[in-house]
Amino acid sequence: MYTIGIDLGGTNIVSAVVNDEYEIIATSKTKTNSPRSAEEIFDDIAKVTLEAIEKAGLTINDIESVGLGTPGTVNGEGVIEFANNLVFNNVPAKQMLIDRLGIEKVYIENDANCAALGEAYAGVGNGAKDFVAVTLGTGVGSGVIVGGKIVNGVNYAGGECGHMVIVVDGEQCTCGRKGCWEAYASATALINQTKAAMEENPDSVMHKIAAEEGKVSGRTAFDAMRKGDIAGIKVVDQYIKYVACGLINIINALQPEIICVGGGICNEGETLMKPLRKYIEAERYSIYSKIQTKVVKAQLGNDAGVIGAAILNKVKD
Amino acid sequence: MYTIGIDLGGTNIVSAVVNDEYEIIATSKTKTNSPRSAEEIFDDIAKVTLEAIEKAGLTINDIESVGLGTPGTVNGEGVIEFANNLVFNNVPAKQMLIDRLGIEKVYIENDANCAALGEAYAGVGNGAKDFVAVTLGTGVGSGVIVGGKIVNGVNYAGGECGHMVIVVDGEQCTCGRKGCWEAYASATALINQTKAAMEENPDSVMHKIAAEEGKVSGRTAFDAMRKGDIAGIKVVDQYIKYVACGLINIINALQPEIICVGGGICNEGETLMKPLRKYIEAERYSIYSKIQTKVVKAQLGNDAGVIGAAILNKVKD
C-alpha cells in the first residue's frame, strides 16, 4: 500500500506518494499564496494530492492514509489551533482533508515533528526509537521522539527545545524569553554574531567576503575562518559552542540514541560537526558511559517533512 | 498481591511491602554503613526485606516482584554500573537479589527515577503518563516519565535535567560543565547565593538569623524575606527565577502534564510555589494554550522512592 505525505509550508504546498519502504514515488506542488482562506488552501492541497496520485500511476483506492505537516500547534482532533505564518486559527484540517479526499485515515502534525519522524524512521535515524531532530534555520526547530512516538506534550506544544534558555537574562528571543538557545544557535543568531564581530574588527576579511556576496550570511564567518581570519575563527568557535551547549542539554535530559542536526548551516559538513562533537564529548553528563548519543547531520533535507507526514499512521494509532 | 520496594541510599536501606493501592503496609530499615562490599550490603537488603514481609504478616510467596532504587547508573540488565557514593562499580544488583530472595521478578532503577515514578503513579501525579519530578536538594535531581515509562535514554543516564546549562560559562558545576541549572537552583546554590548577599549587605537581618541558627541554610533568606529584609527578598526572588528558568526549559521541551517539585526548599510551600508559577505562566512557550503543565509540590516525601521501586514491575515489562 501507499500513503500520502503533505508538507504545508508558508511558501509551498508539496504532496508526495510514499511507498512501504519510505520512498517518494511521485510528488506534486503548488504555491501556498498565504494569506488565503483555509478553504482555498485545502482545495489546493487536495488538488496537488490527486495530481501526485495520478503521477504515481495510482488511484485514491491505493492510498492507505494521508498525513499533513503544518506550521503551528495541532491538537489531538487534527485541528490546527494556531499557525501565525498561515494566519490560521482553529482550522479543522483533518475533517477538511477527509471531506476533500474521501479518505478516513488522516493525520495532522506539526511540521518540525514530521521532519523528525521522517529522519528517525527513513533517514539518518535508521529506525531509532529515541531520537531528536534539531534544525538550525531562521530559528532553532526541534522534534523529540521517545519510544518511537512524537512527544507532543499535554497541549501539543512540546518539542520546542530551541526555547530552552542557555543564558539567563541574555539575548531577547522572539518567544518573549531572554537567552533562548534559538537566540544563540539559529542561522539568524550566527549572522548577528558575525555582524557584531565585523563591527569590532574593521580589518577582518569578513568585510570583503560580505561585500562580494552582497550580504552577511551564515557562511561569512565560516569562509573567513577558512582564510585564517582570527575574528572569523572566533565567531565560528563561539557559535559552535552555543550549538553544542543546547545539544548537551538535550543529551543530559533525554540521552536519545541519535540527535540529528539539519538546516543550511549543516552544509558546512564536518567543519561544523567535528568540533561540535568534540565539545559534546568533553561535557556530557554520561562522559563515562560506554554507549553515547550519536550526533549526526540530517540526511533527507526537505524530503524529511513529507516522508514523516506520510508515516504518521505508524505512530499515531 | 504485594510487591517490595527498596530504597538503597547512602545512609539508610529501607525496604517496604506495598499493596495494589500503592500503600505501604510495612517497612524495615537498617544503616547502609557505606563503604562496604556489595555482598554485605545486599545481605542486609535481603535481611530487611524479609523483616518487612514478616512485619506485614506475609510470606515470600505473597510477593509478586521486588524493585530497588539506587543512586548511580543502572543498565538494562539490572547491573549498577557506577554509583560513586556507594563506591559501586558493575554490581550485578538484579542477580544478587534473585539469589538472596528467590524471587525472579526483580527490577533495579536509579533512585531519582523511582521517586518520579512513585509521585507519578501514587502521589501528586495521580497516574499522569507525562510527568517530570524535580528535587531541589544538595543537587537538582530529576526523573522524566513519557508515555508512562521512565526515560532512561540509550545508556541509562537520561533524566539529568539538573545538568542543563542555563548560564553559558556560568558557575562551575560538580559535573564538569559551567552554568548548570543545579549550580543555580539547588539548596547548595541557594546557600551560596545567601552567603554572597550577606557579604555584600552587612546590615541585613540574614546575619542575625544565621547566627541564631548557627549556620546559613536554605531557610535563611526566606526567613529574612518574611521580616521584610531587602537583601533577603532579592536573594529569594533571584533564586525562584533560577528555579523557574529550568522548569520552563523542561516545559518547552516536553510539555508534561505535571511537574512536581520536591526537596527541603519546598517546605516553604506557597511562598515558593506561587511566585514560581507566576514566572512560569509569563514565560512558557505555550502561553496561549488552553491546557498547561501543572507545577505542583511533591506529596510523598521520602516514601516516593520505595513506592516507585515497588511499582517498577508496572513500567519495566
Side-chain angles (χ1 to χ4, degrees), chain B residues 61-202:
Chain B
N61 296 323
D62 299 307
I63 305 303
E64 196 181 342
S65 68
V66 175
L68 178 139
T70 171
T73 305
V74 182
N75 73 20
E77 280 72 49
V79 174
I80 303 171
E81 292 190 345
F82 182 67
N84 62 334
N85 56 352
L86 295 172
V87 202
F88 274 11
N89 264 298
N90 289 311
V91 169
K94 180 178 175 177
Q95 193 55 50
M96 289 172 84
L97 277 181
I98 292 172
D99 292 346
R100 282 163 177 75
L101 295 171
I103 292 176
E104 284 300 312
K105 281 184 123 179
V106 171
Y107 306 89
I108 317 289
E109 181 55 79
N110 170 271
D111 51 6
N113 290 343
C114 287
L117 200 62
E119 285 288 358
Y121 278 73
V124 78
N126 201 20
K129 296 284 181 207
D130 297 300
F131 182 89
V132 177
V134 169
T135 307
L136 309 173
T138 311
V140 172
S142 72
V144 177
I145 293 169
V146 172
K149 304 270 183 192
I150 296 165
V151 174
N152 286 118
V154 70
N155 48 17
Y156 303 95
E160 290 289 349
C161 296
H163 298 286
M164 298 205 286
V165 161
I166 64 164
V167 181
V168 163
D169 293 330
E171 298 282 341
Q172 183 64 53
C173 182
T174 53
C175 79
R177 298 187 85 184
K178 282 184 175 172
C180 285
W181 187 30
E182 171 165 308
Y184 292 86
S186 63
T188 313
L190 172 57
I191 291 168
N192 290 339
Q193 290 154 18
T194 304
K195 284 178 180 168
M198 286 168 69
E199 211 158 291
E200 276 174 33
N201 298 276

Side-chain angles (χ1 to χ4, degrees), chain A residues 112 132-143 159-163 181-182 186 260:
Chain A
V132 177
V134 169
T135 307
L136 308 174
T138 311
V140 172
S142 72
E160 290 290 349
C161 296
H163 298 285
W181 187 31
E182 170 164 308
S186 63
C260 90

Side-chain angles (χ1 to χ4, degrees), chain A residues 260-287:
Chain A
C260 90
V261 186
I265 305 284
C266 290
N267 293 332
E268 296 293 341
E270 285 301 300
T271 309
L272 171 73
M273 298 305 290
K274 204 176 152 188
L276 193 56
R277 287 194 202 100
K278 207 180 117 223
Y279 285 124
I280 292 168
E281 280 159 23
E283 276 197 35
R284 58 187 158 198
Y285 191 75
S286 55
I287 193 159

Side-chain angles (χ1 to χ4, degrees), chain A residues 235-251:
Chain A
V235 169
V236 169
D237 184 53
Q238 184 60 56
Y239 173 73
I240 293 176
K241 274 186 191 166
Y242 288 136
V243 175
C245 178
L247 293 176
I248 301 165
N249 283 356
I250 295 170
I251 290 171

